[in-house]
Amino acid sequence: GYFLGWTPGQRAHAMPGHAWYLPGGADLVVELHLTPTGKAERVQSSIGLFLSDVAPSRTPYMIRLGSQRIDIPAGALAYGTSDRYVLPVDVDLLAVQPHAHNLARSIKGYAQLPDGRREWLIDIPDWDFRWQDVYRYTAPVHLPRGTVLEMQYTYDNSDGNPRNPHRPPRRVTFGQTSSSEMGDLWLQVSTASDQDRATLDADYAPKMLAEDIAGDETT
């Protein structure tokens, strides 16, 4: 339920009332995604923890929209990927974090409410891989049960994209390295009760597992 990853441009964010509970004996494992440079490099990673004497009042939950079936042909000007999820319980949306690599151009995420209204959650018309962050709302956005969460990303794999790392352009598929592509929209939500959180997890977890399996089979 927490944003524990780091990407270029990202800052640390405080979450009053949502401390991260770590039981005694827990291991902290840091995974680094690195690209070889052809020579020996020194890597020195570290983490910082702010300790609290106040127990968390609620434990948030993380929903990931996205596709791990990305397959962008060389030269494609506006390759698109999308995903959707219907909320089984009421939630308060606390923050969102989009993630993609160099070919992404536009990032859109919105909520289609049961009454027919559309609530925009994030809209980045000119994505830049070098500047990524968690976007936290000034006030939580209440989303009732039955709300459809949707994301739409577009990618430019042509010579006209100045951020395209491939000259000439080549086919690019899903992958964890920055020369591959990703397309995720993480949504941090809070439920009214632990029971609602369990209901959300039981409904959503199989969806994320199926997408992770597709990504493993792709790579």
Side-chain angles (χ1 to χ4, degrees), residues 1 19 57 103 136 139 157 161 166 204 206 215:
S57 56
L103 300 183
R136 193 166 300 283
N157 193 16
N161 181 358
H166 308 296
Y204 170 74

Side-chain angles (χ1 to χ4, degrees), residues 22-114:
L22 285 175
D27 290 327
L28 293 178
V29 180
V30 178
E31 177 188 72
L32 304 178
H33 292 187
L34 305 175
T35 301
T37 63
K39 59 185 178 64
E41 300 284 357
R42 181 178 180 182
V43 177
Q44 186 173 356
S45 59
S46 63
I47 63 171
L49 298 176
F50 294 86
L51 304 182
S52 172
D53 56 4
V54 179
S57 56
R58 287 193 288 180
T59 302
Y61 189 84
M62 200 70 73
I63 295 172
R64 185 192 70 200
L65 298 180
S67 174
Q68 297 188 15
R69 299 171 173 85
I70 294 172
D71 191 343
I72 311 174
L77 284 170
Y79 178 89
T81 185
S82 62
D83 194 16
R84 68 197 301 270
Y85 176 67
V86 182
L87 291 172
V89 296
D90 291 5
V91 304
D92 287 331
L93 179 62
L94 306 176
V96 297
Q97 181 183 19
H99 178 64
H101 295 164
N102 291 290
L103 300 183
R105 301 305 294 155
S106 67
I107 302 291
K108 299 180 184 293
Y110 55 87
Q112 200 70 40
L113 302 175

Side-chain angles (χ1 to χ4, degrees), residues 79-159:
Y79 178 89
T81 185
S82 62
D83 194 16
R84 68 197 301 270
Y85 176 67
V86 182
L87 291 172
V89 296
D90 291 5
V91 304
D92 287 331
L93 179 62
L94 306 176
V96 297
Q97 181 183 19
H99 178 64
H101 295 164
N102 291 290
L103 300 183
R105 301 305 294 155
S106 67
I107 302 291
K108 299 180 184 293
Y110 55 87
Q112 200 70 40
L113 302 175
D115 63 7
R117 292 183 297 116
R118 174 178 287 187
E119 181 84 25
W120 280 96
L121 306 177
I122 193 165
D123 184 3
I124 302 178
D126 186 18
W127 170 262
D128 190 335
F129 174 70
R130 298 168 298 179
W131 292 101
Q132 305 182 49
D133 210 341
V134 173
Y135 297 88
R136 193 166 300 283
Y137 300 105
T138 303
V141 180
H142 183 70
L143 301 175
R145 174 185 177 183
T147 295
V148 182
L149 302 173
E150 298 195 46
M151 58 82 73
Q152 296 176 346
Y153 288 12
T154 59
Y155 302 80
D156 182 353
N157 193 16
S158 71
D159 273 326

